[in-house]
Amino acid sequence: LARGDALSNPAQVANFLKLWLRDRSFEVFAALFLDARNRLIVAEELFRGTLTQTAVYPREIVRRALEVNAAGVILAHNHPSGVAEPSTADRLLTQALRAACALVDVQVLDHVIVAGHQTHSFAAHGGV
């Protein structure tokens, strides 16, 4: 990760996120903040919730993106239930975060849901 090329394709991103988020017994919402060349600036856990939900605040994600001078972000959260399929709330949140980040020229590149050894990429399914 420190070299800046470890997360150069979607499979590497998914593997990294699985290792980081899959064994949590509660929901965690995280972000990978990227520079203009899509190199990792920082990976951070931003919000922590319960077994079934996490409160996510777009303002805080935008604020953090500006603090680290990010040009892009990959959003991620886990589903402790083991089901990677996004809920309606997940889809609405992704749209809201994409719109909020766009206001400050930060591109949401993907939103990945981790559920055990499975992942769901919104970008791969046309949803980002």
Side-chain angles (χ1 to χ4, degrees), residues 6-124:
L7 298 177
S8 60
N9 68 57
Q12 289 172 324
V13 171
N15 286 335
F16 172 75
L17 292 172
K18 280 191 281 188
L19 288 172
W20 188 20
L21 300 176
R22 74 174 173 220
D23 294 326
R24 307 288 184 102
S25 60
F26 48 87
E27 275 202 17
V28 171
F29 192 92
L32 307 178
F33 294 101
L34 310 170
D35 69 12
R37 296 182 64 201
N38 292 336
R39 293 177 300 198
L40 184 66
I41 297 169
V42 65
E44 292 183 345
E45 177 183 312
L46 299 172
F47 305 101
R48 195 177 272 202
T50 65
L51 178 64
T52 59
Q53 63 184 351
T54 302
V56 176
Y57 302 97
R59 171 189 172 110
E60 294 303 312
I61 294 170
V62 169
R63 181 186 60 77
R64 188 62 180 139
L66 292 173
E67 283 178 351
V68 299
N69 201 30
V73 63
I74 297 173
L75 307 168
H77 77 280
N78 66 320
H79 281 178
S81 67
V83 177
E85 186 65 28
S87 67
T88 300
D90 292 334
R91 293 179 196 285
L92 293 172
L93 176 62
T94 302
Q95 291 172 359
L97 292 172
R98 186 179 66 225
C101 287
L103 291 173
V104 293
D105 294 323
V106 175
Q107 184 179 11
V108 175
L109 300 170
D110 202 353
H111 181 175
V112 179
I113 298 172
V114 176
H117 293 285
Q118 300 175 6
T119 60
H120 176 91
S121 162
F122 279 73

